[in-house]
């Protein structure tokens, strides 16, 4: 997952790197803002690049610009992400914008090192991308430092020192946080040759969260900014929204099986609303996960059908059906027909429980037929 610029910059600042002073601003924080010296920049915090070109960065020249800027930016949608917060920081005066990044290349287990004297917003766009110096480096801090020195020899005199120093000072952070990507773009170069972190992309691996407590805490403390990751941390299950106008909601267990289901639906021209790996094996008698997922699906504006796929190994379908009925009762706003492919241990008990509840769920044991039914029911609902 991508950390927001603000959180990544806080980590860099804590490690002693030069980051412009700044803070995170949510709606409602505006009144209590301490005055930062002007000019400032206001930057939307969404986990994607290209915010500048998308209108998500504003210069605050005078105090009055702040409220207007925040009002315009908060709630905006940038590349499919609703803006919940902005970073307000001191604007930097610079003479150049350089670029540097380390990317973990998981296949060969290397780090891709990229450097350029010409960073800035044009790097994001393939048609305007400047030349980037590139090297594949073994995933080792000392090797990375050596590669930085070697590659930087090909940079122009004016920026070589700054880029080398900045890149070298980022090496320990890349390893400490087990990062997948650490990009600085722009690395602002000032008239006196010094450098400042302009923008940071730090992608981290959620699978490392059990030992990366600091990263996990960022997510846990800001569930509004990292809804998917926070849900996964707290609930121990995966849920990813796919298509806001999707018409089939999925309540599925097993990541591979769930992805396969999504592929099949897409291949048949449907628009799945979400990915889900609810991990039925870990319900432990609690319908909370089911309720949360059903609530999210119910909130989809175009939902016409819900497809459940529970493949029970050691889990008991009777128990799952019991929880499902409780969950459905607590999400009455979910009106779409529900088709459940259930197979395995306790199926007869599950059938009995669902029948007793008045058959709010249509059970089908064959996966292909369950998909057919869910699609047919979505189409009927459209008619
Ligand atoms: P991105 O578009 O999401 O990559 O956001 P960036 O933080 O990289 O900002 C995009 C561009 O906005 C930068 O390349 C700069 O040209 C400009 N910008 C950002 N911060 C400042 C600042 O403090 N001062 C000035 N003068 N320009 C800035
Ligand atoms: Mn940038």
């Amino acid at each position: 997952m991508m950390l927001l610029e603000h959180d990544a910059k806080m980590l860099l600042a804590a490690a002693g790197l030069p980051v412009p002073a700044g803070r995170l601003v949510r709606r409602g924080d505006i009144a209590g803002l301490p005055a930062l010296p002007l000019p400032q920049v206001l930057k939307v915090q969404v986990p994607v690049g290209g915010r500048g070109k998308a209108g998500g960065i504003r210069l605050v020249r005078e105090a009055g610009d702040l409220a207007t800027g925040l009002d315009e930016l908060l709630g905006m949608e940038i590349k499919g992400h609703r803006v919940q917060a902005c970073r307000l920081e001191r604007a930097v005066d610079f003479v150049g914008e350089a670029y540097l990044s380390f990317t973990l290349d998981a296949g060969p287990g290397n780090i891709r090192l990229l450097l350029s004297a010409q960073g800035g917003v044009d790097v994001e766009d393939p048609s305007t991308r400047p030349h980037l110096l590139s090297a594949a480096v073994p995933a080792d801090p000392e090797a990375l430092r050596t590669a930085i020195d070697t590659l930087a020899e090909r940079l122009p005199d004016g920026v070589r020192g700054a880029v080398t120093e900045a890149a070298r000072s980022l090496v320990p952070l890349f390893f400490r946080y087990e990062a997948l990507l650490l990009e600085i773009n722009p690395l602002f170069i000032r008239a006196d040759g010094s450098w400042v972190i302009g923008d940071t992309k730090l992608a981290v691996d959620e699978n490392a969260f059990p030992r990366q407590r600091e990263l996990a805490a960022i997510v846990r403390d800001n569930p509004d900014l990292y809804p998917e990751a926070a849900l996964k941390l707290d609930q121990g299950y995966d849920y990813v929204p796919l298509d806001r106008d999707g018409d089939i909601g999925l309540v599925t267990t097993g990541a591979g099986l769930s992805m396969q289901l999504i592929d099949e639906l897409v291949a048949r021209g449907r628009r799945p609303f979400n990915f889900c790996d609810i991990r039925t094996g870990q319900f432990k008698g609690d319908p909370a996960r089911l309720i949360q997922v059903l609530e999210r699906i119910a909130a989809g504006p175009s939902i016409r059908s819900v497809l459940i796929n529970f493949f029970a190994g050691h889990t008991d379908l009777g128990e799952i059906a019991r929880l499902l009925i409780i969950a459905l009762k607590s999400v009455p706003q979910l009106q779409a027909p529900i088709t459940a492919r259930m197979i395995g241990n306790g199926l007869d008990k599950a059938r009995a429980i669902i029948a007793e509840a008045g058959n709010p769920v249509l059970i089908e044991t064959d996966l292909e037929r369950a998909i057919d039914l869910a699609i047919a029911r979505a189409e009927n609902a459209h008619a």
Side-chain angles (χ1 to χ4, degrees):
M1 61 166 281
M2 189 75 78
L3 286 186
L4 295 174
E5 176 200 10
H6 173 77
D7 292 318
K9 279 183 164 170
M10 296 300 280
L11 296 177
L12 300 195
L17 279 93
V19 171
R23 54 161 295 168
L24 192 72
V25 187
R26 287 175 167 88
R27 193 180 290 286
D29 292 343
I30 306 173
L33 281 183
L36 270 181
L38 295 163
Q40 306 160 5
V41 279
L42 201 49
K43 312 176 78 175
V44 296
Q45 296 300 297
V46 288
V48 286
R51 295 165 302 163
K53 285 193 172 172
I57 295 182
R58 299 285 167 85
L59 190 63
V60 179
R61 278 179 234 276
E62 47 193 274
D65 295 345
L66 181 55
T68 337
L70 273 172
D71 207 47
E72 284 170 18
L73 294 182
L74 288 173
M76 225 175 127
E77 200 174 287
I78 300 264
K79 297 186 169 181
H81 296 270
R82 190 149 296 280
V83 178
Q84 308 280 5
C86 289
R87 176 171 164 91
L88 176 65
E89 69 176 21
R90 288 286 303 271
V92 176
D93 234 353
F94 59 89
V95 295
E97 296 183 276
Y99 175 95
L100 71 90
S101 68
F102 313 145
T103 310
L104 185 73
D105 193 351
N110 284 338
I111 294 169
R112 172 63 52 184
L113 165 66
L114 297 172
L115 303 178
S116 175
Q118 279 115 34
V121 295
D122 289 342
V123 175
E124 306 275 347
D125 182 348
S127 64
T128 55
R129 182 170 297 147
H131 179 66
L132 304 174
L133 299 173
S134 169
V137 188
D140 166 78
E142 200 40 53
L144 185 52
R145 276 188 281 266
T146 307
I148 289 166
D149 293 347
T150 310
L151 203 60
E153 280 172 24
R154 291 156 61 191
L155 289 172
D157 285 344
V159 298
R160 185 185 310 118
V163 171
T164 306
E165 192 181 290
R168 279 179 145 266
S169 60
L170 288 161
V171 169
L173 288 167
F174 183 78
F175 287 93
R176 182 191 312 159
Y177 293 116
E178 300 176 89
L180 304 173
L181 164 74
L182 176 52
E183 178 190 78
I184 308 298
N185 182 38
L187 177 73
F188 287 132
I189 313 287
R190 297 168 118 156
D192 64 0
S194 66
W195 53 274
V196 178
I197 305 281
D199 183 20
T200 312
K201 273 198 203 132
L202 179 57
V204 296
D205 185 348
E206 285 163 77
N207 296 310
F209 278 8
R211 50 178 187 271
Q212 292 289 345
R213 298 291 172 83
E214 202 180 347
L215 300 177
I218 290 173
V219 167
R220 193 171 285 123
D221 294 346
N222 298 282
D224 57 332
L225 304 181
Y226 299 100
E228 270 68 56
L231 204 62
K232 185 172 171 182
L233 258 184
D234 287 350
Q235 308 299 331
Y237 70 88
D238 285 322
Y239 180 98
V240 182
L242 293 179
D243 181 345
R244 247 195 329 178
D245 291 317
D247 58 358
I248 299 193
L250 296 173
V251 185
T252 45
T253 194
L257 216 53
S258 305
M259 282 190 277
Q260 185 194 332
L261 212 51
I262 288 168
D263 287 346
E264 289 209 30
L265 289 170
V266 170
R268 292 166 65 171
R270 304 315 306 184
R271 299 174 62 175
F273 179 70
N274 64 294
F275 164 88
C276 172
D277 176 11
I278 201 163
R279 301 196 190 127
T280 45
Q282 293 164 22
F283 280 177
K284 297 190 173 63
D286 186 354
R289 286 185 193 191
L290 277 168
I291 292 171
Q292 280 175 11
V293 169
L294 292 173
E295 277 175 347
R296 298 186 71 160
I297 291 174
S302 310
I303 292 292
R304 302 275 182 259
S305 176
V306 176
L307 176 57
I308 292 176
N309 185 30
F310 290 156
F311 187 96
H314 54 91
T315 44
D316 175 18
L317 284 175
E319 166 69 359
I320 290 173
R322 183 182 75 81
L323 297 173
L324 180 61
I325 295 301
I326 296 172
L328 285 172
K329 283 191 180 134
S330 46
V331 191
Q333 66 272 35
L334 183 64
Q335 290 293 320
I338 299 169
T339 311
R341 187 262 184 153
M342 289 193 188
I343 188 155
N345 181 25
L347 180 60
D348 289 344
K349 219 163 92 196
R351 285 191 195 281
I353 287 168
I354 283 167
E356 198 180 316
N359 287 313
V361 174
L362 179 61
I363 296 185
E364 168 56 61
T365 53
D366 180 75
L367 183 57
E368 284 303 316
R369 277 205 299 270
I371 295 173
D372 287 344
L373 274 170
I375 291 176
R377 296 176 93 186
E379 281 167 356
N380 281 340
H382 277 298

